[in-house]
Amino acid sequence: MKIVKAGIGVLALVVSAGAIAEGAYWGGVAGIADFDFKGVDNPLNLGLRAGYVRASGFGVEGEYTSSLLSGETEAYGRNVDVDIRTLATYATYRTEGDWYLKGRLGLLYEDVSVGSASSDDLGVSLGAGIGYSLNEIYHLELEYTVLEKDVSYWSGGFSLRF
């Protein structure tokens, strides 16, 4: 009988943890936009993130980032700034628990500037990370996201769930 009661208790905790996880959230994100090109010092990007996660762990997320500190590269014998701005919408999945895994797949618009030259692109973006729930409201996440074939984003985020 004690085993049955313990099993029911564990099941109740798992179900309640899933119910607590559901809701809207918003927060900030900061990280390094990692350009896979020789001679490029990578920019530091800051951004905003908002989304909604269901009790099942599936959700949606929007994110905007822009370079706070420009990177640098040499072009035509002089140093020029390297910046990137991104705007993305993702489908997400988070596992249950205080420590959780996160995956995301979505559509991303990016605008890359190198000196006075600029290029933009629309494509698929894929990311994975690990998160920690400080409590029901505050969450920390570390992520790696592929922005495009030659650019990835190593980031840390803080969000508030409401």
Side-chain angles (χ1 to χ4, degrees), residues 49-127:
R49 178 183 290 172
Y52 187 87
V53 63
R54 297 186 47 87
S56 64
F58 288 98
V60 294
E61 183 171 272
E63 181 177 273
Y64 171 79
T65 71
S66 184
S67 296
L68 175 69
L69 298 175
S70 298
E72 278 191 353
T73 192
E74 188 175 323
Y76 306 109
R78 62 184 178 94
N79 286 336
V80 295
D81 289 342
V82 175
D83 295 299
I84 184 170
R85 287 183 307 149
T86 66
L87 180 62
T89 301
Y90 294 101
T92 62
Y93 179 76
R94 289 174 176 80
T95 60
E96 291 184 25
D98 288 341
W99 286 96
Y100 57 90
L101 299 176
K102 176 184 175 186
R104 63 187 193 163
L105 174 66
L107 190 60
L108 176 119
Y109 167 80
E110 67 178 353
D111 181 28
V112 177
S113 299
V114 179
S116 60
S118 178
S119 175
D120 61 350
D121 193 17
L122 183 67
V124 175
S125 177
L126 175 69

Side-chain angles (χ1 to χ4, degrees), residues 17-40:
I20 290 169
E22 184 164 356
Y25 61 92
W26 66 272
V29 62
I32 301 293
D34 187 8
F35 285 80
D36 192 21
F37 299 108
K38 188 176 181 177
V40 174

